[in-house]
């Protein structure tokens, strides 16, 4: 590849990396199922507040982000990221209160999928978009009235917020070291949702059982998957990681069935499978084709930028929806 050094060997244990990705995906989706169990006790807004507040506290303790030395644009990026986090989680939890978890994640993933398709600018990407729309049409064959039109609309809106989250996440990653920006944005999201959570959950939020479930939710939906996926990225090619993340709707359907007893019709299972395939295909379509190999002098070293950065991996990372719920 012109002007690019070969990638260094990755950490051993690709099979272990696959297990880490699956563990993170299972954690996120079973966390969403746990959130649905909290709704009768705390209300939707109360569950969102518990998850974001406890998650923010854990991230602040672990990361200890620096707050000095940043300008207005940096803090504007943090606020925008916090708004995306608060909106995405609040709207998605409102959706899964009304429709099963599997279809909700299937509709939600259309947001990042659309972002990936438009970013790819290739004819193949539009094929995958059409396949995803076919999956959504199949969901409708099961009856959108069964899914509840409001719930379906909320899931689609949460998908748009997820796409905004991805854009904001990239900007935060360029401005803040490590997970500092995420910790600060989670704090903003927690503060934004706190008044609604207190109004919805009231004194129930202080109940020891509810606090225990809220802590489990924050760990399952935020802390554990972020940690597992970070470790997985040290073992797996980024494109492989991105394709595996496309399994989210299928894992959500299993979590909804096991935890919430949400059985799906065969046509809905097929619809979810089509969207999973479309998501994986769109990630592949987003990666640029390899350039013809030809000798070239190594590029000059730039402090803080690894010479072995792989453009295809960067493109796949941009196309892949990161864990967030």
């Amino acid at each position: 590849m012109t002007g690019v050094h070969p990638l260094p060997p990755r950490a051993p244990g690709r099979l272990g990396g696959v297990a880490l990705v699956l563990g993170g995906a299972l954690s996120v989706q079973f966390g969403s199922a746990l959130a649905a169990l909290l709704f009768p006790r705390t209300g939707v807004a109360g569950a969102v507040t518990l998850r974001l507040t406890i998650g923010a506290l854990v991230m602040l303790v672990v990361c200890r982000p620096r707050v000095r030395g940043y300008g207005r644009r940096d803090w504007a990026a943090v606020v925008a990221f916090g708004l995306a986090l608060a909106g995405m989680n609040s709207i998605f939890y409102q959706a899964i209160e009304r429709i099963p978890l599997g279809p909700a994640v299937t509709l939600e993933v259309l947001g990042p999928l659309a972002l990936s398709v438009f970013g790819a600018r290739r004819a193949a990407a539009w094929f995958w978009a059409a396949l995803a729309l076919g999956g959504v049409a199949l969901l409708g064959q099961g009856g959108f009235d069964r899914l509840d039109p409001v719930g379906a609309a909320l899931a689609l809106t949460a998908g748009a917020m997820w796409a905004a989250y991805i854009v904001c996440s990239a900007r935060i990653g360029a401005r803040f070291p490590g997970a500092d920006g995420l910790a600060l944005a989670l704090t903003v999201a927690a503060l934004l949702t706190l008044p609604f959570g207190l109004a919805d959950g009231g004194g129930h939020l202080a109940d020891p059982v509810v606090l225990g479930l809220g802590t489990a939710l924050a760990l399952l939906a935020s802390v554990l998957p972020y940690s597992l996926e970070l470790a997985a990225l040290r073992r797996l090619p980024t494109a492989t990681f991105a394709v595996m993340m496309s399994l989210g709707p299928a894992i959500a359907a299993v979590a909804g069935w096991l935890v919430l007893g949400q059985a799906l019709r065969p046509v809905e299972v097929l619809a979810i499978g089509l969207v999973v395939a479309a998501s994986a295909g769109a990630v592949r379509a987003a990666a640029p084709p390899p350039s013809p190999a030809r000798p070239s002098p190594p590029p000059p070293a730039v402090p803080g930028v690894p010479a072995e950065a792989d453009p295809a991996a960067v493109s796949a990372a941009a196309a892949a929806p990161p864990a967030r719920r």
Side-chain angles (χ1 to χ4, degrees), residues 151-210:
L154 286 169
L156 289 171
T157 305
M161 295 299 297
W162 191 357
Y165 163 90
I166 294 171
V167 174
C168 292
S169 178
R171 292 176 179 173
I172 283 290
R175 293 176 179 272
F176 293 83
D180 285 10
L182 174 62
L184 294 171
L186 269 175
T187 303
V188 171
L191 292 174
L192 288 171
T193 60
L194 187 59
F196 303 99
L198 291 175
D200 200 15
H204 295 292
L205 298 181
D207 181 87
V209 174
V210 170

Side-chain angles (χ1 to χ4, degrees), residues 36-293:
L37 293 177
L38 265 175
F39 294 163
R41 295 172 178 263
T42 64
V44 176
V48 172
T49 291
L50 279 174
R51 177 264 163 102
L52 291 177
T53 301
I54 296 173
L57 290 174
V58 171
M59 291 294 290
L60 287 173
V61 170
V62 172
C63 298
R64 297 181 182 180
R66 180 171 58 89
V67 296
R68 295 181 179 179
Y70 298 112
R72 288 185 178 180
R73 292 186 177 180
D74 299 320
W75 288 110
V78 167
V79 171
F81 196 17
L83 284 167
L85 277 167
M88 178 179 61
N89 285 281
S90 300
I91 296 170
F92 179 75
Y93 281 8
Q94 290 285 348
I96 63 174
E97 186 189 30
R98 293 169 170 84
I99 62 176
L101 183 60
V105 176
T106 303
L107 292 170
E108 186 198 25
V109 82
L110 294 180
L113 178 60
L115 187 65
S116 175
V117 168
F118 288 123
R121 297 179 182 177
R122 292 184 184 179
W126 293 102
F127 166 77
W128 298 114
L131 187 65
L133 290 177
V136 173
L138 274 181
L139 276 181
Q141 294 298 313
F144 276 118
D145 54 339
R146 172 180 178 263
L147 290 181
D148 183 277
V150 175
L154 286 169
L156 289 171
T157 305
M161 295 299 297
W162 191 357
Y165 163 90
I166 294 171
V167 174
C168 292
S169 178
R171 292 176 179 173
I172 283 290
R175 293 176 179 272
F176 293 83
D180 285 10
L182 174 62
L184 294 171
L186 269 175
T187 303
V188 171
L191 292 174
L192 288 171
T193 60
L194 187 59
F196 303 99
L198 291 175
D200 200 15
H204 295 292
L205 298 181
D207 181 87
V209 174
V210 170
L211 281 175
L213 290 172
T215 301
L217 171 61
L219 293 175
L220 281 172
S222 296
V223 179
L224 183 59
Y226 290 143
S227 303
L228 291 177
E229 286 157 10
L230 180 62
L233 279 168
R234 296 192 177 109
R235 293 168 170 80
L236 292 174
T238 310
T240 303
F241 173 87
V243 170
M244 292 192 64
M245 289 296 293
S246 303
L247 294 172
I251 295 173
V254 173
W257 173 54
L258 291 177
V259 179
L260 304 173
Q262 297 173 341
L264 297 177
R265 300 175 182 179
V267 67
E268 292 171 328
V269 174
L270 177 59
I272 291 171
L274 288 177
V275 174
V276 167
S279 300
V283 169
R284 288 296 189 186
S291 304

